[in-house]
């Protein structure tokens, strides 16, 4: 009958790491002039602002959806109606405060001038 292997007979071999080639640096890029805006910058800025407003609207819509969904799930899983209503009230207040701050920051970004970043 063969003898079972013992802990001393088994050895854990740790492979040694192989030396990899040193990372290469990318070729230096040409510097762009910062005194003149690139062509079409105004169009791109308006497009970015529009995407930002759409994203903000999406965030608010998802938050409102969660304000409705969370109390329903809480009631389904056995929380009292008062507890679910309290959770809903808390979520609605946080959502309203976040919406207010989001709208305020959007107005602040629109009020900035392209040169210097000062408000009008």
């Amino acid at each position: 009958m063969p003898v079972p292997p013992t802990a001393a007979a088994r050895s854990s071999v740790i492979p040694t790491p192989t030396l990899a080639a040193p990372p290469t640096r990318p070729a230096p890029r040409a510097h762009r002039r910062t005194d003149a805006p690139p062509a079409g910058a105004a169009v791109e800025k308006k497009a970015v602002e529009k995407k930002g407003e759409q994203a903000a609207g999406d965030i608010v819509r998802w938050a409102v959806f969660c304000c409705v969904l969370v109390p329903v799930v809480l009631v389904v899983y056995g929380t009292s109606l008062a507890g679910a209503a309290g959770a809903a009230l808390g979520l609605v207040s946080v959502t309203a405060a976040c919406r207010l701050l989001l709208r305020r920051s959007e107005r602040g970004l629109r009020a900035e001038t392209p040169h210097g970043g000062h408000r009008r």
Side-chain angles (χ1 to χ4, degrees):
M1 200 167 189
V3 177
T6 62
R10 285 185 247 138
S11 65
S12 59
V13 178
I14 300 174
T16 57
T18 58
L19 295 176
T24 58
R25 288 187 162 182
R29 294 187 289 174
H31 295 286
R32 292 190 309 187
R33 290 180 50 194
T34 58
D35 57 343
V43 173
E44 289 177 12
K45 183 178 178 184
K46 287 182 181 179
V48 168
E49 286 177 1
K50 185 70 174 168
K51 285 182 183 178
E53 289 175 8
Q54 289 174 348
D58 289 344
I59 290 171
V60 171
R61 278 191 287 280
W62 276 108
V64 169
F65 172 72
C66 291
C67 288
V68 173
L69 181 66
V70 168
V72 170
V73 170
L74 287 173
V75 169
V76 168
Y77 281 97
T79 305
S80 67
L81 287 176
L89 185 62
L91 287 171
V92 167
S93 63
V94 168
T95 301
C98 289
R99 183 180 182 273
L100 176 76
L101 292 172
L102 187 61
R103 299 296 179 210
R104 184 181 292 176
S105 69
E106 285 176 348
R107 274 184 276 150
L109 287 175
R110 276 189 237 124
E112 290 181 356
T113 61
H115 303 292
H118 298 290
R119 293 180 184 212
R120 292 181 194 172

